[in-house]
């Protein structure tokens, strides 16, 4: 097996020490903390079932019934009729996330927030002079609990992929370490559907190829993976070997969040195009919620069959409150851009002009239905 990225090569050098911190059922845990009557009860944070809402986060009590994130709220209530539904209070969650990120920066400035409730930390060299990344992860978990009364799970390894895999293993409040020399045996035993970066559809294709575990996946060479999965095949080749040389990146908050899709064939089908715009809008709303962002400007991009591109934007004094409203605005903008007049090749929806941290602290309550 090739050495995992960050591992010593030829016995020389020091491995990177990467921690992945993932808050446990973040939104639901905050609500149970703040509302004692919800403790021990199944709680769903998400959109209304009457408006095609989906589950953002649910408590572990709800998960026992099979409820999970991204599930339609209507389905969640069929599985767990006694669940309590709450709309996300993104401003509150953002403030608590800022406290948690402050804890991270007490140990290192190499912090890469992935979303409002998870981040990677490179503690190879850290502010505490601590040699053990495991001890740092344990201290961070303790500090988070002391300051927020919330639990976090942590994964420790020599690269981001392995640290992410580790943090998922023992939730809630777990701490898992995967050392470089343990990576091969660890990944060999993992079911392919558990690999971070392998989605449900890809897992089904792999299972159809009789690839069930990491060991099975590692038997496929680069050319075979490329033939079946294209460019992403190289990613699968590397991760099953524990290779991940991505650095922990400390970029600023994004200026915009968007999604776009290129059609397999140019279309003038009104129903198809409307569904596409609404679907993109709901996906963008979920991304915004996951990152703790609230935006006031909506932009739609249309690319026609002749590659002529049109963009239409609209700004509002207050942030767009939910995926349903975002879809309505995006449709209006797309129609103004001539979406039905010529064959469409590509559609994109973007939200920008985010509230600043100071604006987020204003006592305004918004409901999200995404």
């Amino acid at each position: 097996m090739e050495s995992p990225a960050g591992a010593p090569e030829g016995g020389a050098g020091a491995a990177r020490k990467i921690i992945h911190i993932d808050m446990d059922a973040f939104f639901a845990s905050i609500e149970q903390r703040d509302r004692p009557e919800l403790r021990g009860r199944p709680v769903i944070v998400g959109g209304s079932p009457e408006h095609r809402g989906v589950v953002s986060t649910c408590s572990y009590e709800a998960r026992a019934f099979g409820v999970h994130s991204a599930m339609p709220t209507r389905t969640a209530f069929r599985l767990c009729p006694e669940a309590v539904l709450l709309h996300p209070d993104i401003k509150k969650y953002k403030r608590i996330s800022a406290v948690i990120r402050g804890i991270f920066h007490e140990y290192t400035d190499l912090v890469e927030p992935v979303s409002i409730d998870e981040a990677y930390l490179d503690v190879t060299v850290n502010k505490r002079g601590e040699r053990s990344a495991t001890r740092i992860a344990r201290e961070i978990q303790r500090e988070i609990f002391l300051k927020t009364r919330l639990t976090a799970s942590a994964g420790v390894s020599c690269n981001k992929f392995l640290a992410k895999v580790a943090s998922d293993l023992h939730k809630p409040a777990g701490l898992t370490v995967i050392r470089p020399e343990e990576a091969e045996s660890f990944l060999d035993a993992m079911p392919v559907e558990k690999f971070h970066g392998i989605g449900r559809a890809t897992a089904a294709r792999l299972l159809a190829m009789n690839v069930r575990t990491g060991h099975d996946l590692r038997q496929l060479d680069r050319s075979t993976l490329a033939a079946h999965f294209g460019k992403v095949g190289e990613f699968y080749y590397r991760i099953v070997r524990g290779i991940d040389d991505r650095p922990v990146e400390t970029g600023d908050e994004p200026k915009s969040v968007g999604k776009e899709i290129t059609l397999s064939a140019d279309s003038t089908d009104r129903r198809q195009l409307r569904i596409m715009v609404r679907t993109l809008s709901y996906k963008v709303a979920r991304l915004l919620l996951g990152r703790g962002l609230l935006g006031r400007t909506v932009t739609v991009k249309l690319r026609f069959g002749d590659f002529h591109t049109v963009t239409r934007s609209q700004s509002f004094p207050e942030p767009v409150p939910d995926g349903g409203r975002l879809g309505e605005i995006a449709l209006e903008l797309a129609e103004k851009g001539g979406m039905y007049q010529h064959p469409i090749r590509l559609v994109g929806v973007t939200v920008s002009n985010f509230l600043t941290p100071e604006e987020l602290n204003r006592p305004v309550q918004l409901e999200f239905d995404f």
Side-chain angles (χ1 to χ4, degrees), residues 20 22 153-155 163-171 176 194 196:
H20 181 259
D22 191 5
S153 293
K164 169 65 176 174
V165 169
S167 70
D168 284 340
L169 287 177
H170 299 106
K171 294 178 74 66
T176 304
K194 296 293 186 182
H196 177 59

Side-chain angles (χ1 to χ4, degrees), residues 206-217:
L206 287 167
L207 290 172
M209 297 165 61
N210 205 31
V211 175
R212 303 183 179 279
T213 65
H215 179 269
D216 298 333
L217 181 59

Side-chain angles (χ1 to χ4, degrees), residues 127-144:
K127 296 178 180 180
R128 301 292 177 90
E130 172 60 69
R131 294 174 59 86
S132 169
T134 303
R135 282 197 291 268
I136 291 176
R138 190 174 291 115
E139 288 176 12
I140 288 173
Q141 287 177 302
R142 178 177 175 275
E143 286 295 315
I144 289 173

Side-chain angles (χ1 to χ4, degrees), residues 50-97:
E50 286 76 28
H51 297 91
R52 298 173 62 191
V54 299
V55 176
S56 173
T57 308
C58 59
S59 67
Y60 286 95
E61 293 85 356
R63 295 180 191 195
F65 289 85
V67 180
H68 58 77
S69 298
M71 171 183 285
T73 312
R74 187 171 298 174
T75 303
F77 272 96
R78 282 202 298 267
L79 294 171
C80 185
E82 63 269 40
V84 178
L85 175 64
L86 301 174
H87 290 284
D89 183 349
I90 196 66
K91 293 188 176 184
K92 176 168 69 172
Y93 307 154
K94 183 82 171 183
R95 288 192 294 270
I96 297 168
S97 178

Side-chain angles (χ1 to χ4, degrees), residues 24 26 33 50 72 79 81 90 94 115 119 121 134 154 192 200 212 232 246 260 270 281 289 324-325 328 340 343:
D24 298 321
F26 189 48
R33 180 199 69 177
E50 286 76 28
L79 294 171
I90 196 66
K94 183 82 171 183
S115 66
L121 291 73
T134 303
V192 290
R200 190 174 302 174
R212 303 183 179 279
V232 77
R246 296 173 299 160
E260 60 182 40
R270 284 184 173 238
S281 298
L289 184 61
R325 178 62 180 140
E328 293 171 3
Y340 308 136

